[in-house]
Amino acid sequence: GKVVELQARSPGERWITFRTVRASRRGRFATRYTFRQSGPALYLMRARVREADDYPYATGVSHTARVRVR
């Protein structure tokens, strides 16, 4: 499986990688994350896979998901 970088940001801020996971052979991945600061807050999250010699695609990112912490 490919290495998947999970990234988050607050609106207007830069993307930061908070977790790196490996996808299964079918391209699925999962993880858990506990927010350190209590809400309320809004985060934007995405997954990114980098270009590699063994991966015939350019670096790509998923659609952005909005996560609201209460």
Side-chain angles (χ1 to χ4, degrees), residues 6-69:
L6 301 175
Q7 298 182 322
R9 70 180 178 118
S10 296
E13 299 293 324
R14 66 181 184 87
W15 289 102
I16 58 166
T17 300
F18 67 90
R19 179 84 36 97
T20 302
V21 297
R22 188 167 293 277
S24 70
R25 296 181 85 190
R26 293 181 176 246
R28 296 176 185 256
F29 61 91
T31 191
R32 291 179 184 254
Y33 184 79
T34 302
F35 290 92
R36 294 180 186 165
Q37 295 182 358
S38 60
L42 174 67
Y43 296 99
L44 304 174
M45 296 188 165
R46 70 181 185 183
R48 179 171 77 167
V49 176
R50 292 183 187 244
E51 180 178 2
D53 292 337
D54 64 340
Y55 188 64
Y57 301 101
T59 297
V61 296
S62 68
H63 292 285
T64 302
R66 292 172 166 243
V67 177
R68 186 172 306 278
V69 179

